[in-house]
Amino acid sequence: GAVVSQHPSWVICKSGTSVKIECRSLDFQATTMFWYRQFPKQSLMLMATSNEGSKATYEQGVEKDKFLINHASLTLSTLTVTSAHPEDSSFYICSASGGLGTNEKLFFGSGTQLSVL
Amino acid sequence: RKEVEQDPGPFNVPEGATVAFNCTYSNSASQSFFWYRQDCRKEPKLLMSVYSSGNEDGRFTAQLNRASQYISLLIRDSKLSDSATYLCVVYTGTASKLTFGTGTRLQVTL
């Protein structure tokens, strides 16, 4: 089946630094990728929808200047958490669709646990 | 009201037991429904889609009631390996996005 690779799996950083997370579709071209955030014991919350070659669409309440998304190719989307603070500590997961027939079938990356000290 | 609501549990059941999870959704325009399984600090994995006529996959049975906006998942003959969080997921075509419930935690014990 389709594979989505996400890395790093774990990041520990100091407050104020920026962290980049990569999401790659390995065996298919992903026209659309999604970025989610999940706090402990809570549901996955969609942060933004990333479309190849165009600007990402952010969900209400998500700061686009803080969470920079780049989808420069059909196989790679990146999420950069700029000037990270402890409240940004969370589990970030990407997913990808495209080449599968419908947007509703998604394949997820393995997630990135971000801890900001 | 949350778009997708689930009982967070935990449901603690002995091996071999039958357990059922319920989920309600608020958007009557929702088109597709899924159950995902998520292990701790791992990505969600699709367990099964939910069809209007109900569908079964081995020990797992999913039901959909559009009139009541209600979805269920039944697990028969529970295994230790079934211990996980089960996420109810709803797709709304107009918004082209999936909405996840908070999940129901299942713990199967010896």
Side-chain angles (χ1 to χ4, degrees):
Chain A
V3 177
V4 174
S5 172
Q6 180 177 346
H7 70 90
S9 299
W10 291 85
V11 179
I12 301 174
C13 67
K14 293 181 179 180
S15 185
T17 59
S18 293
V19 175
K20 180 185 282 189
I21 303 169
E22 291 189 352
C23 182
R24 293 179 186 274
S25 57
L26 297 185
D27 54 0
F28 68 101
Q29 293 184 326
T31 53
T32 304
M33 289 186 173
F34 302 89
W35 287 96
Y36 298 83
R37 177 168 55 182
Q38 185 177 33
F39 293 106
K41 297 185 179 181
Q42 294 189 23
S43 60
L44 272 74
M45 296 299 297
L46 180 65
M47 299 176 66
T49 302
S50 169
N51 297 297
E52 186 268 336
S54 63
K55 291 184 179 180
T57 302
Y58 289 81
E59 295 298 303
Q60 191 173 13
V62 178
E63 300 174 60
K64 61 181 181 181
D65 294 329
K66 181 169 182 61
F67 299 98
L68 301 179
I69 291 173
N70 184 284
H71 193 158
S73 77
L74 284 170
T75 59
L76 174 64
S77 176
T78 61
L79 168 68
T80 301
V81 183
T82 61
S83 187
H85 288 94
E87 58 266 27
D88 298 323
S89 299
S90 185
F91 190 54
Y92 292 85
I93 308 179
C94 70
S95 68
S97 70
L100 300 172
T102 62
N103 285 341
E104 64 200 54
K105 292 196 182 292
L106 297 179
F107 293 92
F108 287 85
S110 54
T112 299
Q113 181 65 50
L114 171 63
S115 296
V116 184
L117 304 177
Chain B
R1 180 185 175 188
K2 291 181 181 177
E3 289 187 58
V4 180
E5 293 204 60
Q6 293 181 254
D7 181 344
F11 284 57
N12 295 299
V13 303
E15 214 177 3
T18 296
V19 62
F21 306 138
N22 301 321
C23 170
T24 58
Y25 59 96
S26 61
N27 189 340
S28 59
S30 298
Q31 297 175 308
S32 304
F33 310 89
F34 308 90
W35 284 101
Y36 276 74
R37 171 195 169 128
Q38 186 178 25
D39 293 289
C40 188
R41 295 185 187 276
K42 299 285 188 183
E43 73 277 21
K45 294 185 178 178
L46 179 63
L47 181 65
M48 60 196 302
S49 301
V50 186
Y51 302 116
S52 297
S53 56
N55 49 298
E56 187 174 308
D57 183 1
R59 298 181 293 110
F60 300 86
T61 301
Q63 298 276 352
L64 167 64
N65 185 322
R66 285 190 183 271
S68 301
Q69 295 180 200
Y70 170 98
I71 306 157
S72 66
L73 176 68
L74 181 78
I75 305 175
R76 291 183 299 278
D77 188 22
S78 299
K79 311 290 184 190
L80 292 175
S81 57
D82 294 333
S83 298
T85 296
Y86 290 83
L87 304 173
C88 174
V89 183
V90 174
Y91 175 75
T92 303
T94 51
S96 295
K97 67 176 186 180
L98 294 178
T99 302
F100 290 78
T102 53
T104 299
R105 172 84 182 129
L106 172 65
Q107 184 67 51
V108 181
T109 58
L110 288 171

